[in-house]
Amino acid sequence: MGKKVEENKRQKRTSLLMQSYNLFMSKGIPNVSIAEIAEKAGVGKGTFYSYFRDKEDLIDQLIARKAEGLLVHALEDLKSHEAMGMPLSVEDKLIIITDDLITELNKDPKLVKFLNRNLHLGFYKKAFERTDFIGNFDIAAMYKELISSENYEWRNPELMLYTIVEFVSSTVHSIIIEKEPVDLETYKPYLFSCIRSIIQVFKA
Amino acid sequence: MGKKVEENKRQKRTSLLMQSYNLFMSKGIPNVSIAEIAEKAGVGKGTFYSYFRDKEDLIDQLIARKAEGLLVHALEDLKSHEAMGMPLSVEDKLIIITDDLITELNKDPKLVKFLNRNLHLGFYKKAFERTDFIGNFDIAAMYKELISSENYEWRNPELMLYTIVEFVSSTVHSIIIEKEPVDLETYKPYLFSCIRSIIQVFKA
Amino acid sequence: MGKKVEENKRQKRTSLLMQSYNLFMSKGIPNVSIAEIAEKAGVGKGTFYSYFRDKEDLIDQLIARKAEGLLVHALEDLKSHEAMGMPLSVEDKLIIITDDLITELNKDPKLVKFLNRNLHLGFYKKAFERTDFIGNFDIAAMYKELISSENYEWRNPELMLYTIVEFVSSTVHSIIIEKEPVDLETYKPYLFSCIRSIIQVFKA
Amino acid sequence: MGKKVEENKRQKRTSLLMQSYNLFMSKGIPNVSIAEIAEKAGVGKGTFYSYFRDKEDLIDQLIARKAEGLLVHALEDLKSHEAMGMPLSVEDKLIIITDDLITELNKDPKLVKFLNRNLHLGFYKKAFERTDFIGNFDIAAMYKELISSENYEWRNPELMLYTIVEFVSSTVHSIIIEKEPVDLETYKPYLFSCIRSIIQVFKA
DNA sequence: GATGAATGAGTCTTCATTCAT
DNA sequence: CATGAATGAAGACTCATTCAT
């Protein structure tokens, strides 16, 4: 396959991914037809099916792509904090990551809408099982490492992660999308305090 | 309109509501057609439209009905606790209500699946705006009364309710449905501790 | 259901059946779409599916309908011969039926084309299993009666019927449709002689 | 064109022919796409079109190839019988050929299924008109020679061939494929007796 | 010459909604 | 007032065929 062809294919895929995302956001996933996506992306209807098995497959790839982007960003943020040399507790680290994630999401509320339907812990399992995924992160391993950086005995660290992820994602949803009941900046202090409290609950 | 006719109409509505709920549960909401609902309910397809504007409307009424049932049960539970004469703090009361709610839901996981897609705070607004609703509860007033039963100064009581509702509903979802990561009884101690901690956060 | 509605439905069904048959004949079965059939029949595309499960089902009903018509005609022909009082051997009877069938088919070559793809003995089993069939004939019983009208010992009467049916149907096909290698009237003497010979083979 | 190139082309054509045949047999002709055939044959989709005009054309060539093989085998069988020195009547010869053909076909029922949809006398005309065919047999001439080996006056030898070919092919079809109503060995005596009878009919 | 990416017409099928009875 | 026959828009998906590389 020639370079030009390969580049062309990447462009088509990207166009399909981007345009479908825009359509999903503006009209709602079930109200977007494949024909519509193909048209917006400037490709034939049939072309869609040479890139994605079906709408489901497209959505999966979209989620994986978007989620990965967020995660990379958050981890880099954590790294840069660590680079500053201050000692960071587990709480601190989790809050840094959370802060970065929700701050990024707040810049793109449509992304929240899109991800939140799918963004529970279970999602990670699924999304990161994809093999054709760039920069496959092992979330489980990363979390384990994070947790063990301090010498606490955690009562049930997996359950703690579950609780925090669910807590943050559900709580932040309407706050970002509708700024209701309050806006994100107003909510952050409460949110972070709650996270710290929740972590205390899980300390032995 | 004669009594008999009125009774007949109520039966039809009830049948439509019940049968659609069963179908939604067993096949998934998008896979149930109006024709199917009408058939199961033993009425004509056209009749459906004299009771509900469309599928959306049906779902809304279904949610309201189910949610109301849960709420009534929880409030009666609270009343019976209060009747026992022990002094109950706001925390205690909220946990009693929560406990009742999730215990009831745990008996009917399909209901959780159905409600959770829609059960965010915004739901209450929507559901309880319906006028053709039996036993319209004024959630806001009830909550206000609950909160003011103690003499704390709450920092932001509405936000607290929001936080707790989101926390409990999102957290409990997969625990009830998939018993993952742990089952409900295992989770309850953590859950209630977290709720108490969250409430602390909102105390001035 | 009102009489008018019922009559209307019969008309629709008939129209669907007739128009699809015409289309099948002129364009070939695989080249006729359901949309086309519906249009010709003057009904909506969806209406088709309330009368037939799919194209296959339509074809089955078409075959049954057409085959039944032929059979009725042939049996009446036989009856009128019998009414004339001449003693008829089994050979005579089979040839009277055959003659009537192929003479009728020769008037409507398109019908041959349509039936022959499906008209093997196995067809009878299938077609006459239909319960919503008018005048359900029991071919097997009729044949048994026919055979036993004389006191021969047949070596394998079922195999004989199979042989004759296959022989006639395959042989007559291109003769009726393309008048090749000869036309039907020219072929009949040979055909009937062959049938008589075949019958002799099966006599004990 | 170099020898190597020519050889390469023959291989591609053969691969296309063989793989498509396998696919047709296992999935049914209408359910096999050109893409699938090309893939199985290990060539590009476009390449298919430089060997065959379309699926129809492919099928025609497939039939011709398979039929030719059968014919060659049958004629060799006849030759070896003749080599044995016994005097063979026209009946004997036709039955030897028939016997060989159906015995071969019985070894490969899938081939029957494939050929029978197309194997009427008309087929020979069509198949053997192809010029790019190896070992073009002149069926007509061969038959003429066979017939005139005895000094009968045949009433209509072409019609006799037609009758026998149709008789055998239609009759033997379900017997080979489904062993219904009886298996081939059981049927052969009847079949051959019938053929002899049919031949008698065509003797002046 | 071979390739396979791209195409989009065409297919079946479902279903919400209407309206004559 | 209830009914369900009729509708046709809309959707997912297939595939023969073309043509730039």
Side-chain angles (χ1 to χ4, degrees):
Chain A
M1 183 160 42
K3 269 239 160 129
K4 223 184 265 180
V5 174
E6 216 163 332
E7 177 53 25
N8 203 309
K9 282 183 76 171
R10 182 199 301 287
Q11 272 179 27
K12 290 252 166 79
R13 155 168 270 114
T14 303
S15 180
L16 247 0
L17 248 5
M18 276 175 34
Q19 298 304 332
S20 66
Y21 179 68
N22 292 335
L23 285 169
F24 287 156
M25 290 307 92
S26 59
K27 307 182 57 177
I29 295 179
N31 306 315
V32 178
S33 72
I34 267 75
E36 209 173 354
I37 292 169
E39 196 193 8
K40 274 267 183 196
V43 302
K45 223 184 319 185
T47 307
F48 176 91
Y49 290 94
S50 58
Y51 289 94
F52 307 99
R53 203 168 31 265
D54 52 19
K55 208 203 260 191
E56 192 88 356
D57 186 36
L58 167 66
I59 292 170
D60 283 351
Q61 295 195 30
L62 225 30
I63 289 171
R65 189 173 264 239
K66 296 290 183 178
E68 163 126 357
L70 286 172
L71 196 59
V72 169
H73 192 279
L75 291 177
E76 278 170 4
D77 191 20
L78 177 61
K79 229 179 262 175
S80 71
H81 272 82
E82 285 171 331
M84 286 158 61
M86 288 185 284
L88 297 173
S89 66
V90 170
E91 285 94 325
D92 294 336
K93 289 177 183 171
L94 283 174
I95 281 171
I96 287 169
I97 290 174
T98 303
D99 191 13
D100 184 89
L101 284 173
I102 63 180
T103 304
E104 285 306 302
L105 285 169
N106 198 38
K107 292 176 188 164
D108 185 6
K110 294 196 296 184
L111 181 54
V112 182
K113 216 169 170 179
F114 181 66
L115 287 182
N116 224 77
R117 291 175 192 255
N118 311 280
L119 194 63
H120 301 283
L121 193 54
F123 146 71
Y124 290 108
K125 288 179 207 156
K126 192 177 161 195
F128 288 90
E129 274 165 8
R130 300 194 61 81
T131 54
D132 60 353
F133 204 73
I134 320 148
N136 216 318
F137 287 91
D138 186 343
I139 304 286
M142 281 167 38
Y143 178 63
K144 209 163 193 176
E145 195 199 313
L146 181 74
I147 281 300
S148 55
S149 65
E150 255 167 297
N151 277 346
Y152 298 121
E153 279 295 309
W154 302 95
R155 283 166 66 192
N156 193 334
E158 286 186 18
L159 198 54
M160 180 171 90
L161 180 60
Y162 171 81
T163 301
I164 294 172
V165 168
E166 290 297 330
F167 175 59
V168 174
S169 69
S170 74
T171 252
V172 140
H173 186 245
S174 90
I175 281 180
I176 287 181
I177 290 175
E178 309 174 43
K179 303 202 180 303
E180 282 283 353
V182 297
D183 69 22
L184 185 61
E185 288 311 314
T186 309
Y187 194 57
K188 272 186 181 176
Y190 298 100
L191 181 70
F192 296 151
S193 296
C194 287
I195 292 175
R196 287 185 191 273
S197 298
I198 290 171
I199 294 175
Q200 289 310 316
V201 168
F202 282 86
K203 279 189 184 164
Chain B
M1 184 158 42
K3 270 241 160 127
K4 230 184 261 179
V5 175
E6 215 165 332
E7 178 52 25
N8 202 311
K9 282 183 76 172
R10 183 202 299 288
Q11 270 181 27
K12 291 227 172 107
R13 152 169 273 115
T14 303
S15 180
L16 248 359
L17 250 4
M18 275 175 36
Q19 298 304 331
S20 66
Y21 179 68
N22 292 336
L23 285 168
F24 287 156
M25 292 306 91
S26 60
K27 306 182 58 176
I29 294 178
N31 305 317
V32 178
S33 69
I34 268 76
E36 211 173 350
I37 293 169
E39 196 194 7
K40 275 263 184 195
V43 303
K45 233 180 316 185
T47 309
F48 176 93
Y49 289 92
S50 56
Y51 290 95
F52 307 100
R53 199 166 37 261
D54 52 20
K55 210 204 260 188
E56 192 87 358
D57 185 35
L58 166 67
I59 292 171
D60 284 350
Q61 295 194 30
L62 224 31
I63 290 170
R65 189 174 266 241
K66 294 291 185 180
E68 164 129 357
L70 285 172
L71 196 60
V72 168
H73 192 279
L75 292 177
E76 278 169 3
D77 191 20
L78 178 61
K79 230 179 260 175
S80 71
H81 272 83
E82 284 172 331
M84 286 158 61
M86 286 184 286
L88 297 173
S89 67
V90 171
E91 286 93 325
D92 294 335
K93 289 177 184 170
L94 283 174
I95 281 171
I96 287 169
I97 291 174
T98 303
D99 192 11
D100 184 90
L101 284 173
I102 64 182
T103 304
E104 284 306 301
L105 286 169
N106 199 36
K107 293 175 188 165
D108 185 5
K110 293 197 296 185
L111 180 54
V112 181
K113 219 171 172 178
F114 181 67
L115 288 182
N116 224 75
R117 291 176 192 254
N118 309 280
L119 198 61
H120 301 283
L121 193 52
F123 147 71
Y124 291 108
K125 287 178 206 157
K126 195 174 159 194
F128 288 90
E129 273 164 7
R130 301 199 62 81
T131 55
D132 60 355
F133 204 72
I134 321 148
N136 216 316
F137 286 91
D138 186 342
I139 304 285
M142 280 167 38
Y143 179 63
K144 208 163 193 177
E145 195 200 312
L146 180 75
I147 280 300
S148 54
S149 66
E150 255 167 298
N151 275 346
Y152 296 123
E153 276 298 305
W154 300 96
R155 283 166 67 192
N156 194 332
E158 285 184 19
L159 197 52
M160 181 171 90
L161 179 60
Y162 171 80
T163 300
I164 293 172
V165 168
E166 289 297 330
F167 175 58
V168 174
S169 69
S170 77
T171 249
V172 141
H173 185 245
S174 91
I175 281 179
I176 287 181
I177 291 175
E178 310 174 42
K179 305 205 179 298
E180 282 283 352
V182 295
D183 68 23
L184 185 61
E185 288 311 313
T186 310
Y187 194 57
K188 273 185 179 176
Y190 299 99
L191 180 70
F192 295 150
S193 296
C194 287
I195 292 175
R196 287 183 190 276
S197 297
I198 290 170
I199 293 174
Q200 290 309 316
V201 168
F202 282 86
K203 281 187 182 164
Chain C
M1 182 159 43
K3 268 240 159 128
K4 225 183 262 182
V5 174
E6 215 164 330
E7 178 52 27
N8 204 308
K9 282 183 78 171
R10 183 200 300 288
Q11 272 181 27
K12 290 251 165 79
R13 156 168 269 114
T14 303
S15 179
L16 248 358
L17 247 6
M18 277 175 35
Q19 299 303 331
S20 67
Y21 179 68
N22 292 336
L23 286 168
F24 287 156
M25 291 306 91
S26 60
K27 306 181 59 177
I29 295 177
N31 306 315
V32 178
S33 70
I34 268 74
E36 210 173 352
I37 293 169
E39 197 193 6
K40 274 266 183 195
V43 303
K45 225 184 316 188
T47 307
F48 176 91
Y49 289 94
S50 57
Y51 287 95
F52 307 100
R53 200 167 36 263
D54 52 20
K55 209 203 260 190
E56 192 87 358
D57 185 36
L58 166 67
I59 292 171
D60 284 351
Q61 296 195 28
L62 225 31
I63 290 170
R65 189 174 266 241
K66 295 290 185 181
E68 164 125 358
L70 287 172
L71 197 58
V72 169
H73 192 278
L75 292 176
E76 278 170 1
D77 192 19
L78 177 60
K79 231 179 261 174
S80 69
H81 272 82
E82 284 172 333
M84 285 158 61
M86 287 185 284
L88 297 171
S89 66
V90 171
E91 286 94 326
D92 295 335
K93 288 178 185 170
L94 282 173
I95 281 172
I96 287 168
I97 291 174
T98 303
D99 191 12
D100 184 88
L101 284 173
I102 63 180
T103 304
E104 285 306 302
L105 286 169
N106 199 37
K107 294 176 188 164
D108 184 5
K110 294 196 298 185
L111 179 55
V112 181
K113 216 171 172 177
F114 180 67
L115 287 183
N116 224 77
R117 291 177 191 254
N118 309 281
L119 196 62
H120 302 283
L121 193 53
F123 147 71
Y124 291 108
K125 288 178 207 154
K126 194 176 161 196
F128 290 89
E129 274 165 8
R130 300 195 61 81
T131 54
D132 60 355
F133 204 72
I134 320 150
N136 218 316
F137 287 92
D138 186 343
I139 304 286
M142 280 167 39
Y143 179 63
K144 211 165 191 176
E145 195 199 314
L146 182 75
I147 280 298
S148 54
S149 64
E150 255 167 296
N151 277 345
Y152 297 122
E153 278 297 308
W154 301 95
R155 283 166 67 193
N156 193 333
E158 286 184 18
L159 197 53
M160 181 172 89
L161 180 60
Y162 171 80
T163 301
I164 295 172
V165 168
E166 289 298 330
F167 175 58
V168 174
S169 69
S170 75
T171 250
V172 140
H173 186 246
S174 91
I175 281 180
I176 287 179
I177 291 174
E178 310 174 43
K179 305 204 179 300
E180 281 282 352
V182 297
D183 68 23
L184 186 60
E185 288 311 314
T186 309
Y187 194 57
K188 272 186 181 176
Y190 298 100
L191 180 69
F192 295 150
S193 295
C194 287
I195 292 176
R196 287 183 191 277
S197 297
I198 290 171
I199 293 175
Q200 289 308 316
V201 169
F202 282 87
K203 281 189 183 164
Chain D
M1 182 160 42
K3 269 242 160 128
K4 229 184 263 179
V5 175
E6 214 166 332
E7 177 53 23
N8 202 311
K9 281 183 75 173
R10 183 202 300 286
Q11 271 181 25
K12 291 230 171 105
R13 153 169 273 115
T14 304
S15 180
L16 249 359
L17 250 3
M18 276 175 35
Q19 299 304 332
S20 66
Y21 179 69
N22 293 335
L23 285 169
F24 287 155
M25 291 305 92
S26 60
K27 307 180 57 176
I29 295 178
N31 306 315
V32 178
S33 70
I34 268 77
E36 210 173 353
I37 293 169
E39 197 194 7
K40 274 264 182 193
V43 302
K45 232 179 317 188
T47 308
F48 176 91
Y49 289 91
S50 55
Y51 290 94
F52 307 99
R53 200 167 37 261
D54 53 19
K55 210 204 261 188
E56 192 86 357
D57 186 34
L58 166 66
I59 291 170
D60 284 350
Q61 296 195 30
L62 223 31
I63 290 170
R65 189 172 266 240
K66 295 291 183 179
E68 164 128 357
L70 286 172
L71 196 58
V72 169
H73 192 279
L75 292 176
E76 279 170 3
D77 191 19
L78 178 60
K79 228 179 264 176
S80 70
H81 271 83
E82 285 171 334
M84 286 157 60
M86 288 185 284
L88 297 173
S89 67
V90 171
E91 285 94 324
D92 293 336
K93 290 179 185 170
L94 283 173
I95 281 172
I96 287 169
I97 291 174
T98 303
D99 191 12
D100 183 90
L101 284 172
I102 64 180
T103 304
E104 285 306 301
L105 286 170
N106 199 37
K107 294 176 189 164
D108 185 5
K110 293 198 296 187
L111 181 54
V112 181
K113 219 170 170 177
F114 181 67
L115 288 182
N116 224 78
R117 291 175 192 255
N118 310 278
L119 196 61
H120 302 283
L121 192 53
F123 146 70
Y124 291 108
K125 289 179 207 156
K126 195 174 159 195
F128 288 90
E129 275 164 8
R130 299 199 63 81
T131 55
D132 60 355
F133 203 72
I134 321 149
N136 216 314
F137 286 91
D138 187 343
I139 303 284
M142 280 168 38
Y143 179 62
K144 210 164 191 174
E145 194 199 315
L146 181 75
I147 281 299
S148 55
S149 65
E150 254 167 297
N151 275 345
Y152 299 122
E153 278 296 308
W154 301 97
R155 282 164 68 191
N156 193 333
E158 285 185 19
L159 197 53
M160 182 172 89
L161 179 61
Y162 171 81
T163 301
I164 293 172
V165 169
E166 290 297 330
F167 175 59
V168 174
S169 69
S170 75
T171 251
V172 140
H173 185 246
S174 92
I175 281 180
I176 288 180
I177 290 175
E178 309 174 44
K179 304 203 181 301
E180 283 284 352
V182 297
D183 69 23
L184 186 60
E185 290 310 315
T186 309
Y187 194 57
K188 273 185 180 176
Y190 298 99
L191 180 70
F192 296 150
S193 296
C194 286
I195 292 175
R196 287 184 191 275
S197 298
I198 290 171
I199 293 174
Q200 289 309 315
V201 168
F202 282 87
K203 281 187 182 165

